[in-house]
Amino acid sequence: MIPYFYIIAGPTGIGKSSFSLKLAKQLNGNIINADSMQVYKELRILTARPNKEEEKIIEHHLYGYVYGNERYNVERWCNDASKKIIHCQKNNTIPILVGGTGMYIDKLINGIVNIPTTPEHLKLESENLLQKKGLKNFYNLINEFDSLSLKKINANDTSRLRRIWEVYNNTGKTFSEWNASEPKKFLKKIKYKLILFLPDRKKNYQKVNSRFFSMFDQGVTEEVKELLKLNLNSSLPIMKAHGVPEIKNYLDAKIDKDSCIELGQKVTRNYVKRQHTWWNSSKLQIFKKFNQFPHELDPNSMNFS
């Protein structure tokens, strides 16, 4: 049994998937998704999932296997990913995790606090409360009972703010109290080799601008139109995927196509900025780090031992 796995990480839009495909060919590997939006079945184009031809070349796991009406989360991914890693190792293929969702990768390696699942009604209540009070007042409300957790997140991170509120109102214990407890581990005695790509941020912005623009030629508006036909609750993660709200407004004739593209590019650039910040401050052990784009490097000429 192979006692290790690889992680190809870095911000979105830099070419991690194509690099990983070449690496998988070289190492006799399988590719496992580590992107929180690429798990969803309904969004292939918008989330830049590997295409069907690429999936035929190398076996891919955890891509497009969750329906949009499900509220997927980090713990479920850690369970699913650890099972796939072990499955690959038992079959003498090297697991190669690919994605930019740093929190997923961090929790897989370091474990996660086993906080009780938040009921759906509290998730909806937190969303409504945030909209009613506004970001600043919602932040101040949380500060009254869990100022410690606020020190560890961005003040504009509405997802994590809501999570802190939900945990406290569901369990009666603060998020910081839960995080002080012993984490649940997913992998034991399995080493990882993290290959991190952090290319020039401005060039990264140019890449995602170009990619979002090209998605319209690939049929992304039809993809989102089919998603909207499902009439899913707006609080579900898939409905907040970068580009979905902007394309929805375009389809509803609230904005024109140029504005849609401009706004979609902007939210994606903001996400790239957060990813760069997260990875630069990450405490994960890095095997190799590159300031180039993956396509500038040939994995066949690199030493991965």
Side-chain angles (χ1 to χ4, degrees):
M1 181 167 147
I2 298 169
Y4 60 89
F5 63 95
Y6 287 95
I7 303 169
I8 310 300
T12 190
I14 61 173
K16 298 185 298 293
S17 295
S18 57
F19 179 88
S20 302
L21 198 62
K22 295 175 184 176
L23 181 61
K25 291 179 185 177
Q26 178 186 336
L27 301 179
N28 183 34
N30 276 196
I31 294 175
I32 301 172
N33 172 42
D35 182 285
S36 62
M37 285 295 121
Q38 289 186 346
V39 300
Y40 289 110
K41 181 180 179 65
E42 293 86 354
L43 295 179
R44 180 186 289 272
I45 299 171
L46 191 64
T47 61
R49 262 169 44 203
N51 60 46
K52 294 179 181 179
E53 288 70 27
E54 290 170 330
E55 292 176 341
K56 290 177 183 177
I57 297 170
I58 293 292
E59 189 169 359
H60 287 62
H61 305 276
L62 307 187
Y63 288 91
Y65 76 113
V66 177
Y67 286 97
N69 62 356
E70 299 179 55
R71 200 179 287 278
Y72 198 73
N73 59 41
V74 61
E75 183 175 8
R76 181 174 167 188
W77 179 83
C78 288
N79 282 319
D80 293 344
S82 57
K83 289 176 184 176
K84 290 298 181 182
I85 288 170
I86 294 169
H87 167 79
C88 290
Q89 291 173 324
K90 286 181 177 178
N91 286 281
N92 292 315
T93 55
I94 294 180
I96 302 173
L97 274 68
V98 184
T101 307
M103 182 178 68
Y104 276 27
I105 295 168
D106 176 70
K107 299 305 181 186
L108 176 69
I109 294 167
N110 294 318
I112 188 172
V113 177
N114 199 15
I115 302 173
T117 302
T118 302
E120 188 67 21
H121 73 88
L122 274 179
K123 292 181 181 292
L124 294 174
E125 188 176 340
S126 71
E127 181 181 38
N128 292 333
L129 188 63
L130 174 61
Q131 292 178 352
K132 181 180 178 180
K133 285 185 168 292
L135 179 58
K136 184 178 180 180
N137 289 331
F138 190 70
Y139 181 95
N140 291 335
L141 174 65
I142 294 171
N143 191 51
E144 293 176 4
F145 61 81
D146 196 1
S147 59
L148 186 60
S149 290
L150 293 179
K151 294 178 181 179
K152 300 179 180 180
I153 67 168
N154 186 301
N156 295 316
D157 192 335
T158 56
S159 295
R160 286 189 171 88
L161 287 172
R162 287 178 54 199
R163 175 71 171 149
I164 295 168
W165 183 91
E166 291 164 3
V167 167
Y168 179 69
N169 282 273
N170 183 42
T171 68
K173 288 174 60 177
T174 64
F175 194 69
S176 54
E177 287 177 304
W178 280 105
N179 279 328
S181 58
E182 189 69 23
K184 171 186 175 181
K185 295 288 185 177
F186 297 94
L187 296 170
K188 298 178 181 179
K189 298 180 180 179
I190 300 178
K191 297 180 180 179
Y192 69 93
K193 297 182 178 181
L194 172 59
I195 302 170
L196 176 63
F197 292 95
L198 281 178
D200 179 78
R201 189 186 295 182
K202 289 184 178 179
K203 291 182 179 178
N204 198 166
Y205 290 162
Q206 292 171 2
K207 289 279 186 182
V208 296
N209 282 346
S210 176
R211 187 177 74 173
F212 194 85
F213 186 85
S214 67
M215 285 178 179
F216 280 79
D217 293 331
Q218 299 169 36
V220 73
T221 52
E222 288 301 315
E223 182 175 79
V224 174
K225 187 182 293 184
E226 290 302 310
L227 172 66
L228 296 175
K229 287 180 181 179
L230 300 176
N231 293 316
L232 301 179
N233 190 289
S234 61
S235 69
L236 287 166
I238 194 172
M239 299 305 293
K240 297 179 180 180
H242 301 125
V244 167
E246 293 74 27
I247 295 173
K248 180 182 184 300
N249 284 337
Y250 166 59
L251 292 171
D252 291 341
K254 293 180 180 178
I255 56 176
D256 59 25
K257 183 178 179 180
D258 289 342
S259 298
C260 172
I261 293 174
E262 183 179 344
L263 290 169
Q265 291 171 331
K266 181 179 179 181
V267 296
T268 309
R269 289 196 305 271
N270 289 341
Y271 178 54
V272 167
K273 182 180 180 181
R274 293 196 301 272
Q275 286 180 305
H276 274 266
T277 301
W278 194 96
W279 283 110
N280 276 315
S281 63
S282 172
K283 300 296 190 297
L284 292 173
Q285 183 179 350
I286 298 171
F287 174 61
K288 291 181 185 290
K289 183 177 179 180
F290 299 101
N291 292 323
Q292 301 107 304
F293 286 94
H295 65 79
E296 296 174 348
L297 298 164
D298 181 5
N300 293 309
S301 64
M302 299 168 67
N303 178 18
F304 289 98
S305 60

